[in-house]
């Protein structure tokens, strides 16, 4: 989407503003005196007559003389000016206007903050997005967007940030919206390669590299859990590794792991037919990691970041994984499959083991993992799971700053007790209750060597019903977190396993992430449990 700064304040000056001007006004609007005979005078008359107010979402359409730069003006109230108010009101209006291609101007009547500026840009991008990849009849969209405010001259850095964020969200939204036959694991690998190739073409600070591992390479790594999910599909799996190096080699990277199930039928534990089409969105975590790297490509912050995407389909066939099967993960731990529809954790666990080789500052996995999380938090907040208080705090801070909200969930050990199995080191599901937490407790068993957090985005990655489509979340949260760490690095401290050397509950030998070979078992503590 082509964003640029408007050359003048439309309340006081005439300037080229395109086909439609949206004027955003918050509470306390003061137009000053004397008023020119123009838009400012019309706004004051509308307020005085009670035909319009600055309450959030209040609208008034005006048609100006042909001599004015914009023939149509939409006055839009944004209440107290909170980013959420701006997003909700503006996205709805832009979607209504963008049924036809147009040149749009969006201007604040008062000085705008960074957060307001970003909220306006993401709202415009959401409302103006038109998916057309597999819909040739799709019409509308925005040709160009001009942004203005009385203090617009000071918002150039906000504009650059907003452009990068919108680009990342748009890429994530596009690929999550694509149906499974237009977003295969191989195609996701091609997107990742394209991002890296574009970064090399752009030049500038930092390097962005991509490696896409194919099935034989994945087999060589010993990723038996990941590969077990892919067995039922004719589409070959991929393991995507993206590396952005914007800081010194000595700086340990942040690692983001995105679940990339490009279509989830449930496997042998087949999902109900109603709504199964939405399972094309089950690669929302992978899409958000790709979107993050698109944003990093444009911003080039001074930080090192790794993106890991295990991607495959989960399909039923004669070769497919069966309930009761036991598979061995890259860590060496074995898993009894009680439900093949709990497949996301099976591909993530091997990626989490692979992450060890980067000696990361912290690892965050992002996944449309459980319907249980949607029941708990709805579509407003992503679920945040971590036993590391510092990491959880920083992710929560990034969520609040980006208005891409999350909520920290409990991680008491009792929630993982029902993962026990008589036939393997663990089962892949526990009981029906608190399923989002037991899924996180499953993943935790593969993260003892670094600080770790899990984001369950099942409720936030896409909208349902008439508005069905990908949201581009949680790219804003991830980008804000990475930029915060670039600006002021935080010591997340040792992992839980390092803090409590007696707390490792895994009795099986594990494979080293670097070689895939079985490592020697750790010594037992007095309790009989292995030390981490």
């Amino acid at each position: 989407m082509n964003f640029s700064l408007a050359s003048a304040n439309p309340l006081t000056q005439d300037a080229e503003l395109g086909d439609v001007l949206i004027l955003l006004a918050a509470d306390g609007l003061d137009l000053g005196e004397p008023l020119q005979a123009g838009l400012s005078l019309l706004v004051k008359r509308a307020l005085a007559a009670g035909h319009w107010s600055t309450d959030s979402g209040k609208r008034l359409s005006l048609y100006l003389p042909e001599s004015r730069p914009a023939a149509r003006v939409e006055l839009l109230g944004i209440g107290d000016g909170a980013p959420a108010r701006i997003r909700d009101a503006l996205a709805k209006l832009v979607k209504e206007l963008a049924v036809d291609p147009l040149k749009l101007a969006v201007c604040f009547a008062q000085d705008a903050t960074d957060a307001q500026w970003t909220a306006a840009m993401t709202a415009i991008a959401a409302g103006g997005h038109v998916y057309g990849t597999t819909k040739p009849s799709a019409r509308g969209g925005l040709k160009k967007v001009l942004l203005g405010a009385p203090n617009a001259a000071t918002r150039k850095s906000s504009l650059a940030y907003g452009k990068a964020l919108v680009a990342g969200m748009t890429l994530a939204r596009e690929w999550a919206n694509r149906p499974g036959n237009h977003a295969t694991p191989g195609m996701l690998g091609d997107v990742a390669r394209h991002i890296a190739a574009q970064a090399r073409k752009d030049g500038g600070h930092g390097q962005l590299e991509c490696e896409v591992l194919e099935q034989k390479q994945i087999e060589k790594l010993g990723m038996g859990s990941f590969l077990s999910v892919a067995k039922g599909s004719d589409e070959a799996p991929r393991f995507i590794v993206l590396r952005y190096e914007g800081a010194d080699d000595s700086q340990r990277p942040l690692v983001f792991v995105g679940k990339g199930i490009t279509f989830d039928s449930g496997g042998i534990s087949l999902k109900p037919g109603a709504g199964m089409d939405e399972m094309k969105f089950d690669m929302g975590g992978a899409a958000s990691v790709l979107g993050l790297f698109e944003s990093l490509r444009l911003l080039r912050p001074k930080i090192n970041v790794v993106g890991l995407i295990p991607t495959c389909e989960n399909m039923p066939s004669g070769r497919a994984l069966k309930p009761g099967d036991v598979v061995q993960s890259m860590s060496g731990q074995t898993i009894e499959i009680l439900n093949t529809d709990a497949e996301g954790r099976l591909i993530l666990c091997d990626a989490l083991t692979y992450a060890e080789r980067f000696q990361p500052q912290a690892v965050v996995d992002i996944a449309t993992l459980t319907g249980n999380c949607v029941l708990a938090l709805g579509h407003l907040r992503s679920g945040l799971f971590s036993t590391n208080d510092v990491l959880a705090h920083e992710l929560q801070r990034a969520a609040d700053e980006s208005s891409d909200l999350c909520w920290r969930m409990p991680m008491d050990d009792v929630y993982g007790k029902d993962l026990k199995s008589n036939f393997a080191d663990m089962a892949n599901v526990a009981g029906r209750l608190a399923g989002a937490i037991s899924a996180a407790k499953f993943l935790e068993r593969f993260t003892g060597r670094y600080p770790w957090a899990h984001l369950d985005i099942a409720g936030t990655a896409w909208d349902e019903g008439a508005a069905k489509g990908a949201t581009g979340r949680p790219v804003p949260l991830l980008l804000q977190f990475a930029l915060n760490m670039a600006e002021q690095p935080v010591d997340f401290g040792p992992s839980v396993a390092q803090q409590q050397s007696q707390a490792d509950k895994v009795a099986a030998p594990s494979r080293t992430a670097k070689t895939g070979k079985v490592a020697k078992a750790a010594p037992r503590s007095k309790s009989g449990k292995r030390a981490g």
Side-chain angles (χ1 to χ4, degrees):
M1 196 167 287
N2 185 2
F3 287 97
S4 59
L5 290 177
S7 59
N9 182 351
L11 278 171
T12 58
Q13 298 171 272
D14 285 351
E16 178 57 42
L17 295 174
D19 304 313
V20 181
L21 164 65
I22 299 176
L23 187 71
L24 304 176
D27 296 340
L29 177 62
D30 181 7
L31 298 174
E33 297 287 353
L35 292 175
Q36 297 181 0
L39 183 55
S40 58
L41 183 59
L42 291 176
V43 171
K44 184 160 187 177
R45 286 177 176 172
L47 287 169
H51 297 156
W52 176 67
S53 76
T54 58
D55 291 348
S56 182
K58 291 291 185 180
R59 287 176 52 186
L60 180 65
S61 297
L62 303 174
Y63 289 87
L64 303 181
E66 292 183 3
S67 59
R68 299 289 293 178
R72 179 178 174 184
V73 175
E74 293 284 346
L75 305 182
L76 182 63
I78 55 174
D80 61 5
R85 302 267 191 274
I86 295 170
R87 281 198 311 275
D88 292 345
L90 185 55
K92 182 179 179 180
L93 176 54
V94 171
K95 186 171 184 178
E96 178 184 314
L97 295 173
V99 293
D100 295 309
L102 59 86
K103 183 177 178 182
L104 180 67
V106 178
C107 296
F108 288 89
Q110 299 119 307
D111 286 351
T113 65
D114 288 343
Q116 290 174 323
W117 198 264
T118 302
M121 293 182 72
T122 54
I124 294 164
H129 179 77
V130 176
Y131 173 79
T133 302
T134 56
K135 188 177 180 180
S137 62
R139 296 178 63 249
L142 300 177
K143 294 186 292 185
K144 185 175 182 180
V145 180
L146 294 170
L147 294 166
N151 63 338
T154 68
R155 297 271 73 87
K156 291 182 180 179
S157 61
S158 300
L159 181 68
Y161 170 77
K163 282 183 175 181
L165 175 58
V166 165
M169 293 182 73
T170 300
L171 186 144
R173 187 180 285 118
E174 164 67 21
W175 281 91
N177 277 335
R178 290 190 179 204
N181 60 331
H182 288 264
T184 64
M187 291 176 183
L188 290 191
D190 291 341
V191 178
R193 289 191 184 99
H194 177 75
I195 293 170
Q198 189 62 49
R200 289 191 295 272
K201 181 179 177 181
D202 295 342
H205 172 76
Q207 295 183 347
L208 205 164
E209 301 294 335
C210 175
E211 183 180 13
V212 180
L213 306 182
E214 300 195 6
Q215 181 152 341
K216 288 186 178 179
Q217 295 166 293
I218 300 169
E219 291 171 353
K220 191 173 180 180
L221 286 168
M223 292 186 171
S225 184
F226 172 26
L227 289 168
S228 72
V229 178
K231 284 168 55 179
S233 174
D234 290 340
E235 291 287 346
R238 297 288 189 275
F239 189 77
I240 300 166
V241 183
L242 282 159
R243 298 188 66 166
Y244 169 73
E245 297 176 349
D248 188 85
D249 289 345
S250 62
Q251 183 192 90
R252 294 186 298 156
L254 296 174
V255 176
F256 296 95
V257 181
K259 173 187 171 184
I261 299 292
T262 56
F263 186 77
D264 181 18
S265 70
I268 297 299
S269 304
L270 194 67
K271 290 178 180 291
M276 195 194 289
D277 62 293
E278 293 185 352
M279 289 301 98
K280 69 176 185 177
F281 294 120
D282 211 17
M283 41 69 72
S288 70
V289 173
L290 292 170
L292 170 64
F293 275 80
E294 176 71 357
S295 296
L296 294 175
R297 175 183 74 80
L298 295 169
L299 289 177
R300 305 299 179 102
K302 294 182 179 180
I303 191 170
N304 295 330
V305 183
V306 173
L308 303 177
I309 299 174
T311 177
C312 65
E313 291 182 337
N314 183 26
M315 297 290 285
S317 76
R319 302 184 306 275
L321 186 66
K322 306 178 296 297
D325 285 356
V326 174
V327 300
Q328 185 174 57
S329 67
M330 185 182 180
S331 72
Q333 299 174 80
T334 56
I335 305 163
E336 181 186 11
I337 309 304
L338 299 184
N339 188 330
T340 65
D341 194 24
E343 84 300 327
R345 64 202 72 183
L346 296 177
I347 72 171
L348 289 171
C349 69
D350 280 345
L352 290 170
T353 299
Y354 187 90
E356 292 176 9
R357 65 182 56 200
F358 299 104
Q359 299 181 357
Q361 295 182 54
V363 175
V364 180
D365 75 73
I366 310 101
T368 50
L369 205 63
T370 65
N372 192 270
C373 194
V374 187
L375 293 175
L377 298 176
H379 299 285
L380 178 63
R381 295 177 184 265
S382 301
L384 167 61
F385 302 80
S386 183
T387 53
N388 185 298
D389 290 339
V390 179
L391 178 56
H393 171 77
E394 290 302 321
L395 285 166
Q396 187 73 64
R397 178 166 75 96
D400 293 341
E401 290 174 349
S402 64
S403 298
D404 186 359
L405 302 178
C406 66
W407 190 264
R408 189 175 182 186
M409 303 289 279
M411 282 287 283
D412 308 69
D413 284 343
V414 69
Y415 286 112
K417 66 181 179 62
D418 289 338
L419 291 169
K420 62 185 177 183
S421 166
N422 291 340
F423 307 105
D425 293 322
M426 71 195 82
N428 75 322
V429 292
R432 182 175 61 87
L433 301 179
I437 307 175
S438 62
K441 295 300 290 183
F442 175 94
L443 295 174
E444 183 189 17
R445 297 183 179 214
F446 301 86
T447 63
R449 297 181 183 272
Y450 45 71
W452 160 82
H454 161 60
L455 288 171
D456 192 327
I457 61 169
T460 55
W462 78 88
D463 291 322
E464 299 175 330
K468 181 166 65 177
T471 62
R473 295 178 65 186
V475 173
L477 189 165
L478 303 181
L479 180 60
Q480 187 67 53
F481 175 64
L483 295 179
N484 286 349
M485 295 306 100
E487 183 178 344
Q488 188 172 359
V490 172
D491 183 1
F492 299 114
S495 66
V496 172
Q498 292 166 327
Q499 291 178 42
Q500 302 174 347
S501 62
Q502 310 304 317
D504 187 0
K505 301 175 178 61
V506 180
S510 63
R511 296 179 184 272
T512 64
K514 193 167 186 178
T515 65
K517 296 179 180 179
V518 175
K520 292 182 180 179
R524 291 185 181 274
S525 67
K526 292 181 181 179
S527 66
K529 297 175 182 177
R530 296 191 185 275

